[in-house]
Amino acid sequence: MATDLQLRKRTPGNSQQLRFWVQFAFILLCLWIGVEFTLWYFWHEGSGAIALSRPPGVEGFLPISALMSLYYLFLSGSIHPVHPAGLFILVAIILMSVIVKKSFCSWLCPVGTLSENIGEFGKKLFGRNFGVWRWLDYPLRSLKYLMLGFLFYVVFFGMDELSLDQFLGSPYNKVADVKMFLFFKDITQFSLVVIAILVALSMVIRNFWCRYLCPYGALLGLTGLLSPFRITRNAGSCIDCAKCAKVCPNRIAVDRLKVVMSDECTSCMACVEACPVRDTLQLKASRKSRFEFKPAWVAAAVAAVFILVTGLAMLTGNWHSSVTEQ
């Protein structure tokens, strides 16, 4: 049991405030890309007065095309010239997970940020977030892995170098970003109903989309298992208050584990901040390791990987797509 002297001074909101500002900055970046792409589209349509170039960052919202480009790179040894920015963004996000688990989901992902805040609103509205029964939770969580498995089967087992090249260079893939834009611009009533249902479910069940349906999160969860850094709990100083488990957005029973191995852990650091005992919960390579990943270092690692990988794409001339304005 920990003594009173072991209880650290509380600094409420430190890591989570930092995470909020990182999320906010990335949301602003996504909004800027969205506005620029919208103006670019309307100018080409003839109804816009501002002539802008297409922002390559929009390719970050084309993960399936990026996955195909990654496999094409593996088979051919060359970067496909159509939507190369999407490839580098995907590589950056996967690399983040290999270093600090699936940190992209909790520190950068705009959908994850939106889902998290919808859940917080639901908690204030209903007084709590609800969970799915354990017997139903596991089958539902398998859905995102089934979708990921289907995508892997289609791409990695159903396509060779030639078919990948043909698809990536096809008219359909060249305007995939425009098709995505038109989906939201001319959204159907059915799509609105589906989105409304997902929002309602996310208000009741925190991170519903991320936990059960996001294949991107499934991929990062698997690559995150390669990360050497995990949340570790010192059972000797733990006072069994269970505060860590209560704040975990992914419903991980942190208070019962010595090392969090779960593919659902996003290194959000909420559990570490909630723990009232100094050095009881830490993000590090092993329980015996002296090196601890502080929240600020997680933020720095996420930002550095994203900037370095996308910067490399720009410096090597692999950022702008070969698709011409015409």
Side-chain angles (χ1 to χ4, degrees), residues 26 30-31 33-34 57-64 86 89 110-111 176 180 216:
F26 199 74
C30 292
L31 288 174
I33 292 171
V58 74
E59 295 170 21
F61 296 93
L62 305 174
I64 298 176
I89 292 171
V111 177
M180 175 188 63
Y216 213 155

Side-chain angles (χ1 to χ4, degrees), residues 197-222:
I197 291 173
L198 289 174
V199 169
L201 287 171
S202 297
M203 288 177 61
V204 179
I205 303 169
R206 188 173 181 179
N207 293 339
F208 180 85
W209 166 262
C210 306
R211 186 174 182 84
Y212 299 119
L213 298 175
C214 181
Y216 213 155
L219 172 62
L220 300 183
L222 293 176

